Amino acid sequence: MAARLPGVGELLALLPWPVRLVLVPAAIARGLCAVGADGRPAYERALARLRYAISAQHVVVFQRRRPRAVERLNDVAVGADEHGTSLRPGVVRGGGSVLIARPARGRQRRRRVQLTATEDRWLTQPRELELPLGARLEIRCARR
């Protein structure tokens, strides 16, 4: 059947007859069987895959999805771990607010704020740092 198609017939005519009559059909059969046997004919599996690939994956009541409102999460305490009493370096991506309870030296470059801990003691009056949406806070440890 493929030899009667325009263009394909000329290509198949270039192949020797054992390749054309044995290897090509065997390769096609192997390819169709490798997709996975789920009880459906190969053409139904192919149509189902094509339909899935071109259809919408997420539909929200046939309307455009609205952005969610900003939600306030519970406070998160960051402390030392079992390896020592000092804080570890880290990165916080904002928006939101960060409560700074240890002495630190800060430096701001565009949307990036770097805080370096200066002492290993608690502040009597913690300070709140407001991070705009998309800002980045890098917490660094003091060099010893």
Side-chain angles (χ1 to χ4, degrees):
M1 287 177 28
R4 294 182 185 159
L5 295 174
V8 178
E10 290 86 22
L11 290 174
L12 288 175
L14 296 174
L15 298 174
W17 72 268
V19 173
R20 186 175 58 235
L21 298 176
V22 177
L23 291 179
V24 171
I28 292 172
R30 172 71 176 126
L32 289 174
C33 291
V35 174
D38 58 356
R40 294 185 291 176
Y43 71 91
E44 284 185 13
R45 275 199 310 266
L47 286 174
R49 282 189 176 200
L50 178 67
R51 196 175 17 212
Y52 178 76
I54 63 174
S55 65
Q57 302 300 318
H58 301 284
V59 178
V60 182
V61 195
F62 302 109
Q63 293 181 3
R64 190 172 157 202
R65 185 165 52 174
R66 295 187 184 114
R68 293 184 179 172
V70 176
E71 297 177 20
R72 170 122 171 98
L73 302 175
N74 292 334
D75 293 336
V76 177
V78 180
D81 59 6
E82 71 274 5
H83 298 293
T85 58
S86 61
L87 292 174
R88 301 270 183 216
V91 175
V92 177
R93 292 197 166 107
S97 59
V98 177
L99 190 66
I100 302 171
R102 292 191 178 224
R105 185 175 53 251
R107 198 163 98 183
Q108 182 174 2
R109 292 183 181 168
R110 294 189 184 120
R111 298 183 66 82
R112 186 175 73 180
V113 178
Q114 293 177 343
L115 280 182
T116 305
T118 55
E119 298 177 34
D120 199 18
R121 66 174 176 85
W122 296 99
L123 293 174
T124 55
Q125 193 69 25
R127 296 190 178 189
E128 189 172 350
L129 175 65
E130 197 66 37
L131 290 176
L133 190 64
R136 178 181 166 134
L137 172 67
E138 296 176 2
I139 302 167
R140 297 180 173 199
C141 296
R143 292 188 179 107
R144 297 183 182 217

